[in-house]
Amino acid sequence: SLPAPSLPPSLLHPCPTEFGNVSLLNFSDMTRSSTAAGHAILAIGSLFIIFAALGGHSVEAAAGTMGSVKLPTNLRIKSSPGPSLAFSNLNLRGGQADNTVVDAADQGAKDQAIRVGFKKTGKDLATPQYMPWHQIPDQNWKTKDGCEVVKWDQGLESCKGGLQYRYSKYKELKQRIIDVEGSLENFAESYKRYGVYRSTDPNKPGVYGREWAPGATYMALFGDFNNWDRGQYPYTKDEFGIWTVFIPDKDGQCIIPHDSRYKLAMTVATGEETTRIPAWAGYCVQAPKGAPTHPNYDSVWWNPPQKYEFQYELPVTPRSLRIYEAHVGMSSDGEPNINTYDLFRERILPRIKRLGYNAIQFMAIQEHPYYASFGYHIANLFAASSRCGDPDSLKRLIDEAHAMGMSVLLDVVHSHAAKNVIDGINHFDGTPHQYFHEGPEGYHSLWDSRIFNYSSWEVLRFLLSNIRWWLEEYKFDGFRFDGVTSILYKHHGIGHCFVNGYGEYFGLGTDMDACVYLMLANDLIHTIRPGAISIAEDVSGMPTLCRPVHEGGFGFDYRLAMAAPDMWIKLLKEFTDDQWEMGNIVHTLTNRRYKEKVVCYAESHDQALVGDKTIAFWLMDKEMYDGMSLLTPANQIVDRGIAMHKVIRMITMALGGEGYLTFMGNEFGHPEWIDFPRLGNDWSYHHARRQWHLADQTHLRYIHLNNFDAAMHGLEEAYPFLHEGAHEFVSLKNEGDKLIVAEKGQLLFVFNFHPCNSYQSYRVGTFWAGKYKIVLDSDWAEFGGHERNDRNTEFFSVPDHWCGRPNYLEIYSPSRTVQVFARADA
C-alpha cells in the first residue's frame, strides 16, 4: 500500500473553537491511506447495488512521464480491500484495482455495450415525439399579445408595451413569410434550393446552382471539372438578384466528379473579376500548397456514390441536461496535430459516455479559416470544418453519439461572421451591405468581424435555413447560440453593465429586428425537431429569454449561467479561503429568473484559454507538474486543490440551475491552458490538445478528479435533481463555520468550505424525516479523499425545528468536503 498522505498542520491541530454544542475535532482519523479501496457510485435507473469487497488485485501502470515525474517501467500498485457501492458509469481506478492497459477487442466490446439507441436504416428512423418537459410551439400564436410572460414576473407589468410591440413584429414577419413562402418551415428549407446541388427530379438529372448576389454583374460555375473555365457555365440573374444555372448530366453521369473543387467566377459591384465560394457551400477545404488559390479555401463537391444513412434513432433529449463541451480538433491525446471526427468517435466518445454525460456540445464545427479563432470567426456557415474530416465522418460521429443515447448540440455562430472576402461571405457581391449592415453598424469593434442585417429578407432565409440544415442534414439535437448579447443590442453589450432596470432591455438600444430573428429561429427549432434544445449565451440577463415565443419570450430552453465561473475565478484569484462568503456563493448560484432554465458551469472553454487559468491550475499551479503522483504524499497545495476542485464542481451542479456543463479535460483537472497554433507561439500545437492519459494513470491524482466527475453524474442519474421543478431549499449559509446546507431534489447536500475546521455532531436541518445514508462523499479514497467518515453509518432524523426545517440530523462534516445524504427508508 502507498504511504498515508501528509496533512497540513492546520488540519491536524485546528483552532480550539466551540460553536454552541458543536466542538471541533482533532484529525488523527485523517491519516488513513488514500489508496484504500472504497466507494464509488453506480446508477442503474435509481437502484443501488452493493457488491463484494475488492482487494488483493494489482495494477500495472504503463511507463511514461508527466511533467518532471518519471514512471518506472515495472510499477505495481496494490490496493487495499474495502466495500464498494458504485454507479455503473464509474470505471473506478486509483482506489480500486483495474487494468491500465485494456485489450483492444475487450474495449471494443465494452464500447459496443454502451450503445443504447435502436439501430434502423435511414428512412425507417422514427420522428421524435414531444415529451412533457419539451417546449411545444403554440398553434394559436396569432391570438396572443406577448404579455403572458408577465405572470412569471410582475416586474414586467410596466414593460407590457414593449412586450406587445416585440410580439407584434414577430407576428407580422411570420405572417409575411407564410404569405410569400408558404410557411416558416418551407422558408427555412431553402438550403435545398440554394447553393450548388443535385437535381432531385428524375426527369431532369443534373446540377443546379442558385445564389443571391444583387450587386454582381456576372457569375459562372467553374472548377476542376471544366479546367477552371470562367465562361462555360454562366448563371442568369432575375429581378430579385437571384442567379441560377442548370448543368445537365453527361452520358448519365454528374458533370462534377465527387470530391472535386469548384468556385464561382464573378464580376462584382466594383467591376472586379474575382472568385467566391458559394455562400451556401456545404464543404470547403483549404487549397493545397502549390495551388493557385492557396492558402485560401475552395468549395468541394461532396456527392459520394453511397449517401450516408443514419443508423440510429434520434434520442429523447433529456430532462436533466448534463453537457460535455468539446472541441474535436484539439482532442488529440498528446499528439501535436488536429484530431479527426473519426478518432474522436472511436476514442473520446466512449469516455464521455462512461463519465455519465447525456449531451455533447461541439465547438468549432462551422468552417473557420483561422484555427486560432476557436471556431468563432465563421466564413462558411453551412460547411462542417474540413480540418477534422469530411461531412460523412461528422455524421458518423453524431450517429454514434445517438447510439449511446447522447444528444448532440452545435455551438452555432449567428452573432457575427468573419471579414474574409475570398473564402467568406463578406463583400460577396462586391458591396459591404449584402449580408451585413453598412457602415459602423455592420462591424463588431471588439471581435473584428461583420454584423448580420437581421431585417433583410434574404439574410433571414440564409440564417433560418442554416438552422434547419444542421438539424436535418447532420441530425444535431439543438444549439448553443453564441454571442446572444451581441445579437440583442445595437451596442452589442459593449460598455454596458445592465444594472439600471428593465428599461435597458426595452429601450432604443435593443435591436428589434435581431430579437424577432431569435424568436423565429427558436420557433423553427421547436417546430421541426420535437425536443430540440436551444441555449443562449447571454450576459445581459434579458428577461423572458427562456420563455416560449407564444408567451412573449424569445423561445430559448436554457441560458448559460455566466456569472458562476466568473465568481469562482474571482474567489481563487483575489481571496484566501477563509475570506470566501457563503452567502455570496449561494446568491450567485441561485440568482436566476423564475421559470427560466439555466445551464450552470464552474468553468468552460473561456476559462481554459491562454491568458487565464482553469480552476485546477488556479488551485495547484506548478504543483500539477510534480505533485500529482500517488507515489509520494500529497503536499498541502495539492491536498487543498483536489478537495476544493470537487466541492466547487458539486455545489455548482447542485445549486446552479437545471443543467450542468464542463469543458473537455476540465473534469479531471487538465493541466495548463489552451493556446492554438499562431504566430505568437511559433505555430505550436503543444497547448491545443488534451492529455487524456493523465486521467487513466492509476498512480496519478488526476484519476481521483475523473472518478468524482463520473460519480456526480451517477448521483444525478440515480437521484434526479437538475430537472425543472426539482425541490430546492438552502437552509444554512454559515459564514463562521463556512458551511452551506441545501436540499435539492430528494437529496441533502452539506458543503464544508472551511480550510481547517471539521465538525462533529453538527446539526443540519432537513425537510424529510427518516433514516439517512451517505450516497456521495468527496472525502472517499477513490476521489483522493481521506475517508474521515464511516461509509456504513446510518443517520436518524430528530423531529425538532432547525434552520427553518422540521427535522435535523447530527453529522460529522470534514473540512473542504461535500457530503450528500439520501433517505435510506424512502
Side-chain angles (χ1 to χ4, degrees), residues 303-472:
N303 184 35
Q306 184 65 41
K307 180 179 172 62
Y308 183 82
E309 288 193 355
F310 285 86
Q311 301 297 305
Y312 293 92
E313 291 186 349
L314 301 179
V316 175
T317 49
R319 190 180 182 194
S320 296
L321 188 61
R322 305 189 301 274
I323 304 171
Y324 196 85
E325 185 184 35
H327 186 292
V328 173
M330 58 163 289
S331 65
S332 56
D333 189 2
E335 303 97 340
N337 57 23
I338 298 173
N339 205 15
T340 67
Y341 300 124
D342 283 332
L343 288 178
F344 190 98
R345 171 175 53 84
E346 295 168 6
R347 299 177 181 178
I348 313 303
L349 206 57
R351 176 186 296 273
I352 299 170
K353 177 61 178 178
R354 287 193 293 267
L355 282 170
Y357 290 87
N358 55 26
I360 306 173
Q361 177 181 299
F362 281 122
M363 307 173 58
I365 295 295
Q366 293 174 289
E367 190 59 83
H368 49 292
Y370 185 42
Y371 189 45
S373 74
F374 222 147
Y376 289 118
H377 273 210
I378 306 300
N380 314 106
L381 276 73
F382 288 82
S385 178
S386 59
R387 288 184 180 87
C388 302
D390 59 49
D392 283 2
S393 59
L394 175 57
K395 292 176 182 178
R396 286 192 294 270
L397 168 57
I398 295 171
D399 206 12
E400 183 69 11
H402 289 163
M404 296 178 181
M406 290 187 286
S407 298
V408 185
L409 310 179
L410 172 68
D411 194 343
V412 70
V413 183
H414 283 185
S415 50
H416 64 130
K419 290 169 59 177
N420 298 45
V421 174
I422 295 300
D423 46 14
I425 59 173
N426 188 22
H427 289 257
F428 184 80
D429 67 351
T431 67
H433 56 260
Q434 183 188 354
Y435 283 97
F436 311 105
H437 288 292
E438 193 165 14
E441 190 181 357
Y443 291 87
H444 197 293
S445 60
L446 295 183
W447 296 344
D448 191 30
S449 55
R450 298 302 312 274
I451 302 297
F452 287 105
N453 179 1
Y454 301 101
S455 67
S456 166
W457 188 268
E458 291 302 325
V459 172
L460 288 173
R461 182 195 303 278
F462 185 71
L463 294 177
L464 291 171
S465 296
N466 189 239
I467 292 292
R468 185 160 191 175
W469 161 264
W470 291 110
L471 287 173
E472 296 186 337

Side-chain angles (χ1 to χ4, degrees), residues 185-348:
E185 300 90 278
N186 188 61
F187 187 44
E189 206 171 31
S190 295
Y191 72 83
K192 294 182 178 180
R193 304 184 292 273
Y194 279 71
V196 181
Y197 58 95
R198 285 289 289 165
S199 168
T200 57
D201 184 352
N203 299 316
K204 195 177 181 181
V207 173
Y208 277 104
R210 180 178 279 109
E211 289 290 334
W212 173 60
T217 58
Y218 178 78
M219 183 183 294
L221 188 66
F222 73 145
D224 292 334
F225 68 96
N226 74 338
N227 295 317
W228 298 95
D229 184 341
R230 294 177 62 94
Q232 186 174 5
Y233 298 113
Y235 285 62
T236 59
K237 181 182 180 182
D238 68 14
E239 68 271 26
F240 300 107
I242 307 296
W243 295 79
T244 56
V245 68
F246 176 71
I247 308 173
D249 286 354
K250 183 178 181 180
D251 300 327
Q253 298 294 321
C254 179
I255 197 72
I256 308 177
H258 167 62
D259 208 21
S260 62
R261 297 170 184 267
Y262 70 96
K263 274 191 170 181
L264 298 176
M266 293 177 63
T267 302
V268 296
T270 61
E272 178 189 8
E273 290 188 359
T274 186
T275 64
R276 294 286 189 268
I277 289 177
W280 301 68
Y283 185 34
C284 301
V285 177
Q286 187 176 31
K289 291 182 179 179
T293 53
H294 180 81
N296 297 317
Y297 277 63
D298 295 325
S299 42
V300 174
W301 180 247
W302 189 255
N303 184 35
Q306 184 65 41
K307 180 179 172 62
Y308 183 82
E309 288 193 355
F310 285 86
Q311 301 297 305
Y312 293 92
E313 291 186 349
L314 301 179
V316 175
T317 49
R319 190 180 182 194
S320 296
L321 188 61
R322 305 189 301 274
I323 304 171
Y324 196 85
E325 185 184 35
H327 186 292
V328 173
M330 58 163 289
S331 65
S332 56
D333 189 2
E335 303 97 340
N337 57 23
I338 298 173
N339 205 15
T340 67
Y341 300 124
D342 283 332
L343 288 178
F344 190 98
R345 171 175 53 84
E346 295 168 6
R347 299 177 181 178
I348 313 303

Side-chain angles (χ1 to χ4, degrees), residues 416-662:
H416 64 130
K419 290 169 59 177
N420 298 45
V421 174
I422 295 300
D423 46 14
I425 59 173
N426 188 22
H427 289 257
F428 184 80
D429 67 351
T431 67
H433 56 260
Q434 183 188 354
Y435 283 97
F436 311 105
H437 288 292
E438 193 165 14
E441 190 181 357
Y443 291 87
H444 197 293
S445 60
L446 295 183
W447 296 344
D448 191 30
S449 55
R450 298 302 312 274
I451 302 297
F452 287 105
N453 179 1
Y454 301 101
S455 67
S456 166
W457 188 268
E458 291 302 325
V459 172
L460 288 173
R461 182 195 303 278
F462 185 71
L463 294 177
L464 291 171
S465 296
N466 189 239
I467 292 292
R468 185 160 191 175
W469 161 264
W470 291 110
L471 287 173
E472 296 186 337
E473 182 68 16
Y474 285 91
K475 308 300 182 186
F476 278 96
D477 302 294
F479 303 93
R480 178 261 199 190
F481 278 76
D482 176 68
V484 168
T485 306
S486 180
I487 298 176
L488 290 170
Y489 307 100
K490 296 175 182 177
H491 50 67
H492 310 301
I494 300 172
H496 285 72
C497 295
F498 301 97
V499 294
N500 296 316
Y502 282 177
E504 290 192 272
Y505 304 115
F506 296 95
L508 297 177
T510 301
D511 188 335
M512 191 56 63
D513 294 322
C515 292
V516 172
Y517 162 67
L518 290 174
M519 295 167 76
L520 289 171
N522 283 309
D523 188 352
L524 175 72
I525 290 167
H526 295 113
T527 297
I528 65 176
R529 167 64 163 98
I533 298 167
S534 180
I535 303 171
E537 185 206 31
D538 171 45
V539 299
S540 74
M542 169 64 82
T544 76
L545 194 65
C546 299
R547 292 307 306 169
V549 173
H550 64 263
E551 288 188 4
F554 287 84
F556 287 99
D557 296 288
Y558 298 86
R559 71 192 327 140
L560 292 177
M562 302 182 72
D566 291 344
M567 174 195 68
W568 292 123
I569 298 299
K570 183 179 178 68
L571 288 174
L572 291 167
K573 286 174 64 174
E574 302 178 12
F575 298 90
T576 59
D577 293 2
D578 60 328
Q579 293 174 325
W580 289 22
E581 296 180 355
M582 303 298 99
N584 174 56
I585 293 173
V586 171
H587 174 75
T588 303
L589 293 176
T590 60
N591 182 27
R592 50 189 186 268
R593 293 187 56 79
Y594 180 59
K595 287 290 185 179
E596 295 194 37
K597 293 188 291 186
V598 163
V599 173
C600 200
Y601 54 102
E603 54 187 341
S604 69
H605 66 272
D606 290 324
Q607 288 69 42
L609 285 170
V610 63
D612 204 342
K613 294 181 181 180
T614 63
I615 287 176
F617 222 47
W618 277 113
L619 286 166
M620 293 177 279
D621 205 68
K622 64 183 180 65
E623 295 298 327
M624 298 190 74
Y625 295 102
D626 51 21
M628 297 297 281
S629 174
L630 284 166
L631 304 180
T632 57
N635 60 40
Q636 294 185 37
I637 294 174
V638 170
D639 194 72
R640 167 187 178 257
I642 296 289
M644 295 300 288
H645 192 275
K646 294 176 291 185
V647 176
I648 287 171
R649 301 178 93 77
M650 187 73 261
I651 196 172
T652 302
M653 176 187 269
L655 298 184
E658 293 77 22
Y660 178 77
L661 175 145
T662 197

Side-chain angles (χ1 to χ4, degrees), residues 14-316:
C15 49
T17 308
E18 291 192 357
F19 298 85
N21 62 345
V22 182
S23 60
L24 305 182
L25 283 183
N26 190 307
F27 287 85
S28 58
D29 63 320
M30 287 179 53
T31 57
R32 300 181 186 180
S33 169
S34 64
T35 59
H39 202 239
I41 302 183
L42 172 58
I44 303 176
S46 60
L47 299 177
F48 278 118
I49 300 177
I50 301 178
F51 54 89
L54 299 170
H57 301 290
S58 297
V59 177
E60 299 288 347
T65 62
M66 163 50 191
S68 60
V69 178
K70 295 182 179 180
L71 310 182
T73 55
N74 294 310
L75 173 69
R76 296 179 68 84
I77 303 176
K78 193 177 179 79
S79 66
S80 302
S84 184
L85 179 67
F87 285 138
S88 62
N89 66 312
L90 181 53
N91 185 14
L92 187 61
R93 288 178 288 189
Q96 157 188 330
D98 190 10
N99 292 324
T100 300
V101 181
V102 180
D103 179 77
D106 181 56
Q107 186 60 56
K110 289 181 180 179
D111 293 344
Q112 178 67 35
I114 63 178
R115 294 190 181 100
V116 298
F118 297 101
K119 187 171 183 178
K120 297 185 178 181
T121 56
K123 292 184 179 180
D124 295 331
L125 299 181
T127 302
Q129 301 298 310
Y130 289 109
M131 302 301 287
W133 58 88
H134 291 161
Q135 192 176 146
I136 305 175
D138 193 330
Q139 299 302 313
N140 297 317
W141 56 273
K142 294 181 182 180
T143 65
K144 309 292 184 177
D145 67 353
C147 292
E148 192 175 337
V149 289
V150 176
K151 68 183 179 182
W152 307 118
D153 180 3
Q154 295 302 313
L156 290 170
E157 188 70 36
S158 61
C159 305
K160 274 189 172 182
L163 292 168
Q164 289 171 335
Y165 178 71
R166 188 173 73 196
Y167 193 76
S168 70
K169 299 298 289 185
Y170 156 77
K171 285 200 298 184
E172 177 186 325
L173 182 53
K174 184 174 180 178
Q175 189 59 55
R176 282 179 54 209
I177 291 172
I178 292 171
D179 293 342
V180 175
E181 303 283 345
S183 67
L184 177 63
E185 300 90 278
N186 188 61
F187 187 44
E189 206 171 31
S190 295
Y191 72 83
K192 294 182 178 180
R193 304 184 292 273
Y194 279 71
V196 181
Y197 58 95
R198 285 289 289 165
S199 168
T200 57
D201 184 352
N203 299 316
K204 195 177 181 181
V207 173
Y208 277 104
R210 180 178 279 109
E211 289 290 334
W212 173 60
T217 58
Y218 178 78
M219 183 183 294
L221 188 66
F222 73 145
D224 292 334
F225 68 96
N226 74 338
N227 295 317
W228 298 95
D229 184 341
R230 294 177 62 94
Q232 186 174 5
Y233 298 113
Y235 285 62
T236 59
K237 181 182 180 182
D238 68 14
E239 68 271 26
F240 300 107
I242 307 296
W243 295 79
T244 56
V245 68
F246 176 71
I247 308 173
D249 286 354
K250 183 178 181 180
D251 300 327
Q253 298 294 321
C254 179
I255 197 72
I256 308 177
H258 167 62
D259 208 21
S260 62
R261 297 170 184 267
Y262 70 96
K263 274 191 170 181
L264 298 176
M266 293 177 63
T267 302
V268 296
T270 61
E272 178 189 8
E273 290 188 359
T274 186
T275 64
R276 294 286 189 268
I277 289 177
W280 301 68
Y283 185 34
C284 301
V285 177
Q286 187 176 31
K289 291 182 179 179
T293 53
H294 180 81
N296 297 317
Y297 277 63
D298 295 325
S299 42
V300 174
W301 180 247
W302 189 255
N303 184 35
Q306 184 65 41
K307 180 179 172 62
Y308 183 82
E309 288 193 355
F310 285 86
Q311 301 297 305
Y312 293 92
E313 291 186 349
L314 301 179
V316 175

